[in-house]
């Protein structure tokens, strides 16, 4: 259980950001799903609930997700369900349970950059940008490469996904229904290009360029070999070798789902 000495309901993003910089023990509160697992003492908890960051909107050709959008909102939102083959709702619908998803936020999920993140795996095969209050707007992959230290603390305000008409599919394997995933995989297809990502290796999700090239050439076995060549590790949920084998199956299934919708399989 974590404890917070004082509580700030921020009225502006500027106030929230200033409070975050004031003390290294101050913390941004998302849905507190992860925070509450830690035994930590924070000085000020900064609540972003009143900043209008809880909306999913289509704006200038992008699907814009506010940082305080809950996973359940993402799962049920008609606009999110209607695009990219429904990959965004699909990627979060197996995370714990409805009560949990009613609290956990898109901002918290993306900010954590966790290896097990279902949502990050899905976002990687879409053209995704992250907006930070101080550092501004940047591609998701640039954000993922930023150092995670107390000195670089910022506030994630939005995640934006370009509405470019690509089709996409998501796959994951879990040992039990509500557990963390053992492996996650996503694929997307736009014109001649394929996008492939594998996550929960258990390291953070990455794109697999060699698999993307192979799929663009219609070579599924080569794509699977490229997926197998990624780095995997073992933990209590599965061995490295098991993950390597399952990841190939998941990528094959995700790509197959898209090809089937296109009438090519
Ligand atoms: C038991 C359990 C099981 C889970 N299973 C899965 C799973 O199977 N798959 C999966 O993908 N995820 C899983 N998760 C993670 C979950 O989906 C969320 O990623 C997690 O709860 C964080 O979201 P939150 O809104 O609760 O963030 P919080 O717990 O509120 O915050 C998490 C961290 O992010 C920071 N933060 C939050 N919002 C912002 C922001 N807008 N800007 C800057 N910093 C911010 C906080 O300061 C904190 O450091 C699980 C979590 C738990 C507790």
């Amino acid at each position: 259980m974590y404890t917070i000495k004082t509580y700030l309901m921020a009225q502006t993003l500027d106030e929230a950001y200033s409070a975050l910089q004031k003390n290294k023990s101050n913390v941004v509160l998302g849905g507190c799903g992860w925070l509450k697992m830690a035994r930590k003492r924070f000085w000020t908890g900064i609540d972003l609930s009143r900043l209008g960051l809880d909306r999913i909107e289509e704006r200038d050709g992008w699907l814009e997700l506010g940082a305080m959008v809950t996973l359940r909102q993402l799962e049920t939102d008609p606009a999110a369900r209607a695009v990219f083959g429904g990959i965004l709702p699909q990627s979060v619908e197996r995370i714990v349970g409805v009560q949990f998803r009613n609290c956990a936020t898109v901002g918290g999920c993306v900010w954590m950059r966790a290896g097990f993140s279902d949502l990050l795996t899905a976002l990687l095969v879409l053209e995704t940008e992250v907006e930070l209050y101080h550092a501004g707007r940047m591609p998701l992959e640039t954000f993922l490469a930023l150092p995670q230290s107390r000195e670089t603390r910022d506030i994630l305000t939005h995640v934006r996904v370009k509405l470019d008409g690509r089709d996409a599919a998501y796959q994951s394997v879990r040992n039990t229904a509500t557990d963390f995933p053992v492996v996650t995989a996503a694929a997307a297809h736009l014109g001649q290009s394929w996008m492939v990502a594998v996550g929960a290796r258990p390291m953070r999700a990455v794109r697999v360029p060699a698999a993307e090239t192979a799929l663009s050439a219609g070579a599924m076995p080569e794509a699977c070999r490229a997926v197998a060549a990624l780095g995997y590790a073992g933990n209590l949920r599965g061995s490295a070798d098991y993950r390597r084998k399952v990841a190939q199956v998941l990528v094959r299934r995700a790509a197959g789902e898209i090809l089937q919708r296109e009438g090519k399989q």
Side-chain angles (χ1 to χ4, degrees):
M1 182 54 77
Y2 67 108
T3 53
I4 293 175
K5 183 90 176 150
T6 58
Y7 179 81
L8 172 69
M9 177 62 84
Q11 302 302 318
T12 64
L13 270 169
D14 199 43
E15 184 188 13
Y17 182 74
S18 304
L20 186 63
Q21 302 311 315
K22 237 178 233 164
N23 186 325
K24 284 186 182 170
S25 302
N26 293 354
V27 66
V28 174
L29 308 174
C32 298
W34 192 256
L35 274 175
K36 74 177 177 206
M37 307 284 285
R39 269 189 183 212
K40 281 193 185 163
R41 284 166 179 267
F42 298 110
W43 187 257
T44 303
I46 305 163
D47 193 328
L48 309 178
S49 301
R50 297 242 172 101
L51 302 178
L53 298 175
D54 57 347
R55 297 181 204 128
I56 300 178
E57 290 171 318
E58 288 184 36
R59 201 189 293 274
D60 303 328
W62 294 77
L63 186 71
E64 186 177 276
L65 314 175
M68 293 301 284
V69 164
T70 66
L71 300 188
R72 182 66 177 162
Q73 252 178 290
L74 185 60
E75 186 186 348
T76 54
D77 183 79
R81 295 180 75 85
V83 290
F84 313 123
I87 190 176
L88 294 174
Q90 279 164 27
S91 71
V92 298
E93 70 191 9
R94 296 175 73 190
I95 298 176
V96 190
V98 171
Q99 283 177 320
F100 181 84
R101 297 196 296 276
N102 269 326
C103 299
T105 62
V106 167
C109 278
V110 174
W111 181 264
M112 280 176 52
R113 289 158 267 194
F116 55 73
S117 176
D118 290 280
L119 183 59
L120 273 187
T121 311
L123 288 172
L124 271 174
V125 297
L126 308 175
E127 186 172 337
T128 304
E129 289 187 351
V130 168
E131 184 170 344
L132 304 183
Y133 177 70
H134 181 68
R137 201 163 158 166
M138 64 190 79
L140 174 64
E141 286 182 278
T142 308
F143 169 74
L144 294 178
L146 291 178
Q148 266 176 285
S149 73
R150 287 189 165 208
E151 280 66 40
T152 56
R153 295 191 312 159
D154 207 329
I155 295 176
L156 191 153
T157 62
H158 296 92
V159 172
R160 293 192 183 82
V161 189
K162 190 163 189 189
L163 293 164
D164 54 12
R166 72 184 68 183
D167 194 10
Y170 186 74
Q171 291 283 328
S172 70
V173 158
R174 287 166 153 79
N175 289 331
T176 57
T178 58
D179 197 8
F180 291 97
V182 181
V183 191
T184 60
H189 190 201
L190 176 66
Q192 300 301 310
S193 306
W194 281 85
M195 283 60 64
V196 174
V198 177
R201 299 173 294 120
M203 296 80 86
R204 189 191 291 160
V206 286
R207 288 275 291 271
V208 196
E212 297 174 354
T213 309
L215 279 181
S216 304
M220 185 68 87
E222 278 76 23
C224 289
R225 274 195 282 279
V227 168
L230 279 176
Y232 297 89
N235 62 10
L236 61 90
R237 289 188 172 75
S239 66
D241 202 39
Y242 177 68
R243 284 192 160 95
R244 181 172 294 110
K245 289 189 171 113
V246 172
Q248 295 172 69
V249 175
L250 296 188
V251 168
R252 189 184 283 271
R253 281 186 191 161
E257 200 180 308
I258 295 170
L259 289 169
Q260 202 165 33
R261 281 200 289 265
E262 293 172 353
K264 293 180 189 153
Q265 208 180 58

